[in-house]
Amino acid sequence: MTLLSLHPRTATPSGTASAPAPLNVLVLAVAGAVTVANVYFPQPLLAAVARGLAVSDRTAGLVATAGQLGYALGILLLVPLADTARLRRLTGVLLALTAGALLVAAAAPNVLTLLLATLALSTTTVLPQILTPVAAALAGPERCGRVVGVIGLGLTLGSTLSRTVSGAVSDAGGSWRAAYLVAAAATAALLWVLPRALPERLAAADRPRVPYGRMLAGLPRLLGAHRALRVAALRGACVFAAYSVFWAALVFQLAAPPLGYGPGAVGLFGLFTVPAALASAYAGPLTDRLGAGPVGRWALGCVALGLAVAGLAPGSPVALVAGAGLVVLGTSSCQVANQSRVLGLGRAVAARVNTVFMLATFGGGALGSLTAAWLYGAYGWTAVVLAAAGFTAVGLPAGARRPRVA
């Protein structure tokens, strides 16, 4: 068994074992990168959106907030279905809905339409949070961290490179709308690839199906029953709030004097953080070996260091690149450690515990985006960095009593 090609064995109703086609983790990582990019590629475009739709920077910043809120809503309402649903049908429907909403956003005549389309597309582009528990459950506990690390690397590259691609496409096409059209085409292309790469179901065929309403009602009980889930949820919310505060405000900091960069140059900051994203892949094997607690605390330390670098030299492109790289490395590594912690709680509830964890994480991200839009407009870059540092500090003590909680 290789890391990128898993051969899961599932139980049949008669109790015999069957061997479905290999689960290609690389395909899942690429699909995760493309779909998660739909949440992040608008960020370098916010200044252009503000000009094109004749709204303030603060109003345009609500597009990023709508993306985070929609993603959290989709995690709550759609991701739990992966425990019992037919995965191939579910992924096909979600991809089609996302591509359609992206086309609506590309044609939006005003900011309200864009906000509603963003909310809709980010609600349905939650496939990364379905693919991760599926792959982790089939990999088994001994390889969970490695598999989560590979898919997490895809998500990190998708979220960071999407900024570069969208900025370049916007400059080349002469409008921020061109980036939405490219995203719609890339998402639609997955319809011919991703469903075929998945098993029909994650659950055994003879497992009793849990009614949808009961699944949703049981999510708070999962949080109460598992301390590991509570620790990961708090830490994930804190680190992603810090990440979102930083990146949502960085767009305006780079576009403002004395730097004055356009969308293409802003997007390049995503490209500059690729080495940090690649380095974060090692968080998976480290988590398998050391445990989620130590890796998570080390990752938060990276975020704190990156914020310090970017905060001390806000007018230096070099300092901002270095700070952004450290923030990406720390956030991605913390995400891998946290997800490995919660996905180790068992295959039967893999999608649901991931739902609770990711709901907390992206709830924190939405709070961070909203905080950034307000803070930067009112008090500037220093206030943004201090707010991100405050979120990071809240996450540091989480799980300190028992860092090796499974």
Side-chain angles (χ1 to χ4, degrees):
M1 178 184 295
T2 65
L3 180 59
L4 299 182
S5 182
L6 301 175
H7 299 263
R9 300 184 67 84
T10 59
T12 65
S14 62
T16 60
S18 63
L23 181 65
N24 194 315
V25 181
L26 183 58
V27 170
L28 303 192
V30 172
V34 171
T35 50
V36 82
N38 294 328
V39 180
Y40 297 101
F41 81 80
Q43 289 183 355
L45 311 176
L46 295 179
V49 167
R51 293 193 300 271
L53 296 180
V55 296
S56 68
D57 286 350
R58 186 178 300 183
T59 300
L62 293 176
V63 173
T65 303
Q68 299 289 356
L69 287 174
Y71 203 62
L73 184 64
I75 289 168
L76 172 63
L77 298 180
L78 301 176
V79 172
L81 293 172
D83 278 337
T84 57
R86 296 176 62 182
L87 292 174
R88 294 172 184 173
R89 177 183 295 178
L90 178 62
T91 56
V93 170
L94 293 180
L95 287 170
L97 290 174
T98 302
L102 283 164
L103 291 176
V104 173
N110 52 56
V111 72
L112 178 60
T113 304
L114 180 59
L115 287 172
L116 292 175
T118 299
L119 186 66
L121 73 90
S122 57
T123 299
T124 56
T125 194
V126 291
L127 278 175
Q129 306 315 323
I130 292 175
L131 302 179
T132 301
V134 167
L138 296 175
E142 70 281 355
R143 290 179 177 266
C144 179
R146 289 170 172 80
V147 169
V148 171
V150 172
I151 297 179
L153 175 60
L155 303 190
T156 301
L157 291 176
S159 62
T160 53
L161 290 179
S162 65
R163 299 180 178 96
T164 303
V165 173
S166 67
V169 169
S170 175
D171 280 354
S175 170
W176 56 269
R177 300 177 189 274
Y180 282 87
L181 293 174
V182 170
T187 301
L190 290 176
L191 280 165
W192 282 268
V193 180
L194 182 58
R196 300 176 186 179
L198 292 172
E200 184 62 24
R201 293 182 186 273
L202 178 59
D206 58 348
R207 183 198 297 175
R209 296 192 63 182
V210 180
Y212 178 70
R214 189 182 301 173
M215 277 198 304
L216 294 185
L219 294 179
R221 289 195 293 272
L222 288 173
L223 189 63
H226 301 287
R227 182 178 181 272
L229 182 56
R230 296 194 299 273
V231 169
L234 174 60
R235 185 168 283 172
C238 289
V239 73
F240 212 66
Y243 177 87
S244 296
V245 166
F246 179 83
W247 277 101
L250 181 62
V251 175
F252 299 116
Q253 177 69 11
L254 293 173
L259 297 176
Y261 294 146
V266 172
L268 283 176
F269 271 70
L271 185 62
F272 293 147
T273 61
V274 167
L278 294 173
S280 70
Y282 290 101
L286 284 176
T287 300
D288 285 338
R289 188 172 50 150
L290 302 177
V295 175
R297 288 192 296 276
W298 168 83
L300 283 172
C302 283
V303 174
L305 180 59
L307 293 172
V309 171
L312 290 174
S316 167
V318 174
L320 292 176
V321 167
L326 286 167
V327 170
V328 167
L329 174 61
T331 302
S332 301
S333 299
C334 192
Q335 179 79 354
V336 170
N338 284 329
Q339 255 182 323
S340 298
R341 184 196 294 263
V342 300
L343 293 176
L345 293 174
R347 176 171 177 169
V349 293
R352 277 169 283 174
V353 295
N354 194 55
T355 294
V356 175
F357 166 67
M358 293 306 304
L359 186 62
T361 297
F362 281 91
L367 175 61
S369 296
L370 186 61
T371 301
W374 174 73
L375 274 180
Y376 187 84
Y379 301 106
W381 179 250
T382 299
V384 166
V385 172
L386 289 175
F391 284 124
T392 304
V394 173
L396 276 170
R401 288 179 296 150
R402 292 185 344 194
R404 292 298 298 272
V405 173

